[in-house]
Amino acid sequence: MRKEQPYRWQEIALGTCYYPEQWDRALWRDDLQRMKAHGISTVRVAEFAWNKMEPREGEFTWQFFDEFLDLAEEEQMKVIFCTPTATPPAWLTEKYPEVLNCRKDGTPFRHGMRRHYNYNSPKYRELSARIVEKMAEHYGKRPCIVGWQIDNEFNCETNEFYSPSDDLAFREFLKKKYGTLDDLNEAWGTSFWNQTYSDWQEVHMPRTTISDECNPHQALDYTRFISESTLEFCGLQADILRRYRKPGDFITTNGMFGHLDNHRMMDQCLDVYTYDSYPNFAFGLSENPKAPENLNDRRWSRNLSEVRSICPHFGIMEQQAGANGWVGRMEAPAPKPGQMMLWAMQSIAHGADYVSFFRWRTASMGTEMYWHGLLDYDNRDNRKLEELVRIRDRVKAIGGIAGADYAASLGLVKDYDNLWDEEIDAWHGRLAWQSEQAVFRAAQLSHTPMDMVFLTGQTEAEDLKKYKVLIYPHPVMLDDRKAEILRDYVQSGGTLIIGARAGQKDQSGRCAMRPMPGPLAELTGTTVKEFTLIGPADEASRMDCGGQKIEAGIFNDVLSVEDPRANVLAVYDTNYYKGEPALVETLAGAGRVLHFGGTFTPANAAWMLEYTKAAHPWQNVIELPADCELAVREKDGARWFIALNYTGEARRIQLKTSMIDKDTGAACEGEICLPPYGTKFYETKM
Ligand code: GAL
């Protein structure tokens, strides 16, 4: 079982990101007063301001932030103070170039942007620990400080590290993991293409190769190593902050980026997790953002669900407040009137109890001049500030939702081994990406609130039992422990659905010499007879389920039934394996497992949600059109239904029972109009 998160916000709070070092001091007080007047109670500062505390090596000065914190205290503004390690100062990188991260070919990343350091340089660790300790010692007891952010966005910009320090540390990581070179050679399958190592000195991180690919088992260990390195660097800072912070002040960092076990980071280093939420990015993921069935910014709810699995009651450290772009990147338009509110409410609907807008005022210089904040360069009141006032009032009305649990009876199962293997193995990756999107979309369109459920070292079957249905689309890497937990879940009444390629690989990412689905075969009562990708010249794959034709995706495992308990629900209807089992249901204990040989598509995922009766769990209470999202949160015997309209047009919803509209306090029932980009919070008794 995972431990309870150590910190929770007691009420929904609003914040913003502020950069005192980028503005004339004469503006500070006015900024803080204006923030307060518009409902902002917390500012985050200092994450890129190492120079303001150590302008030259070993020369510490506290005056700059002392002045700012004095003002914050006078203006009763709370502060989240950051460690500044995301941007090492020029004096540091100039004198100690070994702290720099490098390209794969060894070329160092020079000063001028950010996140150009590496986690394994002993010098960078030493200087980072020193600045963190000194600043925590100096500012730690300031009354206005309520929390600490470590660094900024670990593994953003890049999640690959190729400095000489990383190379050395990788070798040590492997020595610890494997003990002997023989074991490493075995795990990495180095007899393939004559890669056998005979001395540890020959073992390196992935390096430039003829096709820029490398041994896939080496790549998997390298990703695990990056995650370990990040955790160590974060832990180093967390341990220091813990010694100096006031009781009750939280330690956090803002995510969420790749090659990092965020769940372990949360459990080992943090009190609460925060996320940087820019839903405008989701438009870029759509093949056709104009297609009505496309989820666009609503897709961002997938990310928020993943954040919730890391930390159920999280914060948003950066909530989109304007158009996105850097000087060299033109990303996304300004939020339409109402969208800032919608996106803030989307965060809250998914479990955020703190929402901090990025940023107070758009930078008037530097790379991010087009990453727009609440205020524009001219510093005048604008429509975003007006919307902020509406958000402030809204938050007062719905504030009671803080600490409520997101309620889902459907879970999409994931784990880090598979996530990282997906990046390396294009076959695995393509299946996983499409299937996850498909299941998410089917859940969204059927108004089935869904959690992301990560199987980690801490997960026990008990954690899974609250879900009626779990879909683990492609558990390509499966070990006995995971299989055991899943078996326990099924036997105690759960419904588990697995898709193609389950149990294909071992923990090194090697294809296991046993029938799929490997350690789950006993539970499913099936094996995989053969398999194929659906080629461009093939007919789109289909299966026949009692006369109903259902899509079978982009890859097909042809199943064979091994156990009399197993019941064939559907057979393939296309290709040379027409008539062979495609979907098999097997009862086990009080539950059942569905082994699906294909990959998930929006249509077949919708079918499976219907078949397992997971879909539309609240249709007797509230009905929404497909293009609105439903989220449900529960607390102290109260259930909150949150309806979100992502379209620029009004939408009608139906309340089938009387509920309290939290904005007005009035009981309502029947047909309700959600205005363009409108959101509603309703409360009922459970
Ligand atoms: C985030 C980052 C911010 C700012 C913003 C806009 O990733 O934490 O510092 O850079 O994006 O680019």
Side-chain angles (χ1 to χ4, degrees), residues 122-323:
K123 193 40 115 183
Y124 201 60
R125 287 191 178 195
E126 175 200 322
L127 295 178
S128 296
R130 186 171 70 172
I131 184 68
V132 171
E133 172 135 26
K134 294 268 184 204
M135 59 177 269
E137 192 177 21
H138 185 83
Y139 298 121
K141 300 288 178 289
R142 291 297 300 229
C144 60
I145 291 183
V146 294
W148 296 83
Q149 176 186 300
I150 297 177
D151 201 285
N152 188 73
E153 296 191 332
F154 283 124
N155 294 357
C156 173
E157 315 298 353
T158 181
N159 53 27
E160 294 179 7
F161 295 81
Y162 298 106
S163 75
S165 306
D166 295 309
D167 203 40
L168 289 176
F170 183 49
R171 198 171 293 146
E172 292 311 309
F173 167 87
L174 296 170
K175 281 185 186 162
K176 206 161 136 204
K177 175 163 182 176
Y178 292 109
T180 68
L181 267 184
D182 283 349
D183 285 357
L184 177 136
N185 278 317
E186 175 65 22
W188 285 10
T190 53
S191 54
F192 182 81
W193 280 355
N194 202 35
Q195 291 171 1
T196 306
Y197 297 104
S198 53
D199 189 304
W200 282 104
Q201 296 307 311
E202 299 157 6
V203 181
H204 295 282
M205 300 180 296
R207 294 189 295 185
T208 309
T209 60
I210 204 154
S211 63
D212 220 24
E213 288 174 85
C214 76
N215 176 315
H217 321 295
Q218 173 192 16
L220 189 60
D221 271 341
Y222 170 70
T223 309
R224 292 169 171 147
F225 159 75
I226 298 295
S227 177
E228 281 313 310
S229 305
T230 320
L231 288 176
E232 276 180 31
F233 189 71
C234 181
L236 175 84
Q237 299 198 27
D239 290 347
I240 298 170
L241 292 173
R242 232 165 266 292
R243 286 195 270 123
Y244 292 98
R245 55 126 180 232
K246 308 192 295 300
D249 290 357
F250 60 81
I251 296 173
T252 189
T253 191
N254 52 341
M256 164 186 74
F257 297 89
H259 297 182
L260 175 55
D261 183 334
N262 281 288
H263 291 71
R264 266 183 63 206
M265 182 165 71
M266 174 66 212
D267 293 346
Q268 290 176 11
C269 312
L270 310 178
D271 300 317
V272 67
Y273 190 85
T274 60
Y275 177 59
D276 294 346
S277 190
Y278 294 97
N280 241 349
F281 274 135
F283 285 88
L285 296 171
S286 306
E287 278 138 33
N288 177 8
K290 286 204 167 145
E293 74 281 7
N294 222 308
L295 297 175
N296 294 325
D297 47 342
R298 188 172 164 193
R299 281 186 196 216
W300 213 246
S301 296
R302 197 216 66 88
N303 300 23
L304 293 164
S305 305
E306 192 161 327
V307 175
R308 190 171 63 242
S309 96
I310 301 167
C311 176
H313 306 282
F314 54 95
I316 300 292
M317 194 58 91
E318 299 179 15
Q319 175 77 50
Q320 182 168 355

Side-chain angles (χ1 to χ4, degrees), residues 584-596:
V584 175
E585 180 178 52
T586 306
L587 303 180
R592 60 183 163 167
V593 55
L594 274 74
H595 188 184
F596 171 42

Side-chain angles (χ1 to χ4, degrees), residues 33-97:
Q33 289 177 346
R34 256 169 119 194
M35 288 174 198
K36 286 289 280 191
H38 291 84
I40 302 281
S41 58
T42 309
V43 288
R44 179 196 65 173
V45 296
E47 75 272 27
F48 303 125
W50 189 327
N51 263 309
K52 291 287 177 216
M53 296 179 277
E54 191 183 1
R56 273 167 292 277
E57 186 176 2
E59 203 180 301
F60 297 96
T61 151
W62 309 114
Q63 195 195 343
F64 182 84
F65 280 108
D66 269 337
E67 271 178 43
F68 180 77
L69 296 176
D70 286 346
L71 261 188
E73 275 154 19
E74 280 169 37
E75 299 300 336
Q76 296 181 335
M77 180 64 76
K78 296 177 190 158
V79 174
I80 298 172
F81 209 90
C82 304
T83 71
T85 48
T87 45
W91 58 256
L92 197 161
T93 52
E94 193 63 24
K95 181 162 175 200
Y96 305 109

Side-chain angles (χ1 to χ4, degrees), residues 214 363 373 474 529 685:
C214 76
H474 305 294
K529 194 157 113 187
K685 292 232 175 321

Side-chain angles (χ1 to χ4, degrees), residues 279-280 283 319-324 332-343 372-373 383-384 387 677:
N280 241 349
F283 285 88
Q319 175 77 50
Q320 182 168 355
N324 310 147
K336 316 267 183 290
Q339 273 186 330
M340 222 177 90
M341 167 77 87
L342 167 69
W343 294 336
H372 295 273
R383 76 161 166 93
K384 288 182 281 182
E387 198 158 321
Y677 307 119

